[in-house]
Amino acid sequence: MHKDCERILLTEEQLRSRVKEIALATDERYRGKTPLAVGILKGSVIFYSDFIRHLSCPVELDFMAVSSYGSGAVSSGKLTIRKDLDRDVRGRDVIVVEDIIDSGFTLANLRALLLERGAASVAIVTLLDKKERREYDITPDFVGFEIENEFVVGYGLDYNERYRNLPYIGVLRPEIYR
Ligand code: IMP
Ligand code: MG
């Protein structure tokens, strides 16, 4: 285990089997459709690449990068798009793939934006859900794991851009971010 982690929360094996389960459940819902899977950069990339490989429906891939200030001290009340989609979402069934929902600010705003742009449907798939932290009205369609209010890293999740490449999800030692 990495020395900056206090303990491993989710092992590679737990991630592998649960990601497969939620991907197969998602696949079931999109039978006969051609969804657009939108990965939210950068945190979702590892989850995203594992997730989409279990889909058998003809899925198309796209990515967005956004900044949110919803979970910090100051809420901008607006989502900043740093990299937008290449594809038009009008009439599309969009699957937003995210690493973690915390306050819900990012996904509540993103969902509203995609619907405003004319998406036929927007489903939210998140690997992790810190449910007790929720401040904005957003209910994910598929959740990998509900977790406690602890800062986690690995499998795409970072602290200051570090630890994304850890193959497991670990709880970061509080002294690292305090
Ligand atoms: P929200 O907009 O408050 O729901 O925040 C979601 C974003 O906060 C995620 O996409 C992550 O970038 C970040 N985040 C929240 N909790 C954690 C964590 O425990 N580890 C790493 N990133 C986190
Ligand atoms: Mg993120």
Side-chain angles (χ1 to χ4, degrees):
M1 185 181 65
H2 194 288
K3 63 173 174 40
D4 294 351
C5 289
E6 183 172 274
R7 65 178 201 282
I8 293 178
L9 184 67
L10 298 164
T11 64
E12 288 187 69
E13 189 42 48
Q14 284 175 297
L15 290 164
R16 196 174 9 249
S17 72
R18 184 62 184 146
V19 169
K20 184 175 181 179
E21 274 176 15
I22 61 170
L24 295 181
T26 307
D27 198 43
E28 187 103 359
R29 188 192 290 190
Y30 288 90
R31 198 161 286 168
K33 294 186 169 170
T34 304
L36 182 67
V38 173
I40 308 306
L41 299 172
K42 294 174 246 182
S44 78
V45 292
I46 298 180
F47 169 47
Y48 183 93
S49 68
D50 285 343
F51 175 83
I52 57 166
R53 281 181 286 176
H54 293 294
L55 301 179
S56 60
C57 57
V59 63
E60 292 173 15
L61 316 188
D62 209 339
F63 298 92
M64 267 180 114
V66 297
S67 310
S68 65
Y69 305 95
S71 54
V74 194
S75 177
S76 67
K78 187 174 174 289
L79 197 71
T80 307
I81 298 171
R82 290 198 279 156
K83 183 233 172 283
D84 210 337
L85 297 168
D86 295 333
R87 311 296 305 260
D88 187 353
V89 298
R90 189 162 298 278
R92 299 301 305 268
D93 294 302
V94 178
I95 305 172
V96 175
V97 182
E98 177 63 305
D99 52 358
I100 185 166
I101 310 183
D102 189 40
S103 72
F105 177 87
T106 307
L107 286 179
N109 281 279
L110 199 55
R111 184 180 57 182
L113 176 72
L114 294 169
L115 289 171
E116 193 183 294
R117 288 180 177 181
S121 68
V122 177
I124 308 286
V125 178
T126 187
L127 177 67
L128 305 175
D129 187 1
K130 282 186 188 172
K131 218 171 176 181
E132 67 178 80
R133 296 262 305 162
R134 200 63 37 82
E135 290 171 43
Y136 296 84
D137 181 29
I138 183 95
T139 306
D141 297 73
F142 299 97
V143 176
F145 304 89
E146 277 184 24
I147 67 165
E148 303 289 306
N149 183 20
E150 294 179 299
F151 199 86
V152 292
V153 294
Y155 197 67
L157 290 104
D158 74 309
Y159 174 65
N160 274 349
E161 295 302 326
R162 301 266 313 275
Y163 315 107
R164 292 193 195 277
N165 58 323
L166 298 179
Y168 49 83
I169 289 186
V171 177
L172 194 64
R173 288 185 186 283
E175 58 265 34
I176 306 294
Y177 56 86
R178 255 183 212 136

